[in-house]
Amino acid sequence: MSYRDLRNFSEAMRSLGFPQLISLESFRSPNWPLVESCSRWLAARVEPDALLAGGADTLEQRVALVTHATELFHSRANLKLNGKRIYGADGWAVRELLKVANLLRSALDTPRHDDQLADTDTLVYDVSNRIGEIKQARSLATEITAQGAFLYDLLAKEPENKDHRNKALSRQMDLSSLETALSRAVEAMSSRVDAVREQTASVAASEAALDAKIERRRAELQRAEKRLLTLQKIKPAYQSELTSLETEIASLWDHYVLRYRCVEALKHRLSVLETAQAEAAEEQQAAIMQLIHKYEAEDVLGKLSDSDELDSSDEAKESKQPRPPTRPKTRLRIKTAGTLTLTPQ
């Protein structure tokens, strides 16, 4: 018991609304009536429909009340209380009852769920970040079910196994057979040890062979590097001529690339000019055909007008002077070069 426990318990009960006053001197000596009233009141706050059995008259009633109270707090509030200390009704009982009072006081300080919903319009719970935990819980549930079934099968075989175990334990052991079995086990173990030693020796021999092979390879590598350095220092006989030829080939390649680009550019320009000339020739041919159709239509109209004038009146017959044509008859000549010439008849 301590002064702090008494003070905290009195403040907690006062904040919870306990009707009686609890002073700091209330539990200097065992005070069973106050412990009983506090226990019944806390039990009613934890479970409103709970009624603690027992009372304060006899020893059995007190034990029943303490037992019922501890069971209630353990089942409803998940609090394990020491019944012996509560039965003492002193400062140690205050320390046990303080656990229940602190739990109820923390429940009062916790904001209500309705207030949280009022603060936020909608309750958003993102499950996407806990998909791995869900999968793990599902696998654990499957594993627990399988292990439970396996354990159930083992428990079903337990009576038979128990009989065999009891028979094996009650049987007297033969020292000679035990000695024989132990000697066989020792021989088997010694043979395994010999086999392991042989493997170790073979591994050591192979390791030595590998080390020797690595040394030979290292020596060959050093000789090859020295030979490479000497070959790099020696200048070939035709090195200068080879260098001049490489320079000449590089300059010839640059000239070839330049000429190739020029030829390709000229080919492109030539194709463009040919395309333009072909389009101009097509346009000129179309204009010539339109002119030919126009002149043919005018010739037909001129012939029709001449025949109408010859049959129109007698005055035209007396005059005997032919009416000059609307235009001279022409002939078209189209040269191969695409030019048009008109020659009168």
Side-chain angles (χ1 to χ4, degrees):
M1 181 183 68
S2 63
Y3 174 78
R4 183 182 300 175
D5 294 335
L6 292 172
R7 184 192 61 188
N8 293 336
F9 181 70
S10 62
E11 291 178 358
M13 296 297 286
R14 189 182 302 110
S15 62
L16 290 174
F18 186 64
Q20 299 180 13
L21 294 177
I22 300 176
S23 64
L24 299 179
E25 301 295 331
S26 299
F27 294 96
R28 293 295 180 183
S29 59
N31 190 354
W32 175 256
L34 186 56
V35 169
E36 180 184 1
S37 59
C38 291
S39 301
R40 292 183 182 277
W41 189 82
L42 291 174
R45 293 297 301 268
V46 172
E47 182 64 30
D49 298 332
L51 293 176
L52 297 180
D57 298 334
T58 60
L59 177 64
E60 289 79 6
Q61 291 180 355
R62 293 182 180 182
V63 171
L65 188 144
V66 172
T67 304
H68 193 188
T70 53
E71 291 178 356
L72 177 66
F73 294 142
H74 180 65
S75 61
R76 298 300 181 183
N78 197 17
L79 293 174
K80 296 183 70 174
L81 303 181
N82 193 343
K84 292 182 180 180
R85 293 182 177 181
I86 296 175
Y87 183 80
D90 52 1
W92 297 106
V94 171
R95 181 170 293 182
E96 296 297 324
L97 295 176
L98 181 60
K99 300 177 182 179
V100 185
N102 289 332
L103 178 65
L104 295 174
R105 189 174 183 180
S106 62
L108 290 177
D109 297 336
T110 304
R112 297 177 59 186
H113 184 65
D114 297 337
D115 297 337
Q116 294 179 356
L117 291 179
D119 294 338
T120 58
D121 297 336
T122 57
L123 182 61
V124 180
Y125 186 74
D126 190 8
V127 193
S128 59
N129 296 329
R130 308 188 68 179
I131 294 177
E133 296 180 3
I134 295 173
K135 292 181 179 179
Q136 185 179 4
R138 188 179 298 172
S139 63
L140 287 175
T142 306
E143 185 178 357
I144 289 170
T145 305
Q147 294 295 332
F150 180 69
L151 182 61
Y152 179 78
D153 295 337
L154 292 179
L155 290 175
K157 296 178 182 179
E158 176 61 22
E160 183 179 359
N161 295 331
K162 186 177 181 181
D163 294 337
H164 291 296
R165 186 170 58 252
N166 292 330
K167 288 180 181 179
L169 292 174
S170 61
R171 184 187 306 166
Q172 293 182 358
M173 299 183 66
D174 189 4
L175 296 178
S176 60
S177 61
L178 180 61
E179 185 178 358
T180 305
L182 288 175
S183 61
R184 290 177 181 176
V186 169
E187 291 177 357
M189 185 59 65
S190 61
S191 62
R192 290 182 62 183
V193 169
D194 295 336
V196 171
R197 287 177 180 175
E198 291 178 358
Q199 292 179 0
T200 305
S202 63
V203 168
S206 60
E207 184 179 0
L210 287 175
D211 292 338
K213 190 175 181 180
I214 290 170
E215 290 296 331
R216 288 196 303 270
R217 295 294 184 183
R218 187 178 289 111
E220 292 177 0
L221 178 61
Q222 291 178 358
R223 289 195 297 269
E225 289 178 352
K226 291 180 180 179
R227 186 177 179 184
L228 177 62
L229 291 175
T230 54
L231 290 175
Q232 287 178 353
K233 291 178 181 179
I234 296 173
K235 186 177 181 181
Y238 302 99
Q239 183 66 34
S240 59
E241 185 177 357
L242 178 62
T243 305
S244 62
L245 288 175
E246 287 179 352
T247 306
E248 185 178 357
I249 288 171
S251 62
L252 290 175
W253 173 256
D254 294 335
H255 289 301
Y256 169 73
V257 172
L258 180 61
R259 290 182 180 181
Y260 180 78
R261 293 176 62 184
C262 293
V263 169
E264 290 296 326
L266 291 174
K267 286 182 180 180
H268 177 68
R269 295 296 300 171
L270 181 59
S271 62
V272 171
L273 290 174
E274 289 178 354
T275 305
Q277 288 178 1
E279 292 178 356
E282 290 178 358
E283 292 178 358
Q284 189 175 7
Q285 188 69 23
I288 291 170
M289 295 302 294
Q290 290 180 1
L291 189 59
I292 290 171
H293 291 312
K294 180 178 180 182
Y295 285 160
E296 288 178 355
E298 289 180 356
D299 290 339
V300 172
L301 291 175
K303 290 179 181 180
L304 291 176
S305 62
D306 291 340
S307 62
D308 291 338
E309 288 179 357
L310 291 174
D311 297 335
S312 61
S313 62
D314 294 337
E315 294 177 357
K317 291 180 181 181
E318 291 176 356
S319 63
K320 295 180 181 181
Q321 293 179 359
R323 185 177 179 183
T326 58
R327 65 173 182 80
K329 296 180 178 180
T330 59
R331 184 179 61 185
L332 296 173
R333 182 182 297 171
I334 302 171
K335 295 183 179 181
T336 59
T339 60
L340 177 62
T341 58
L342 299 177
T343 56
Q345 293 181 354

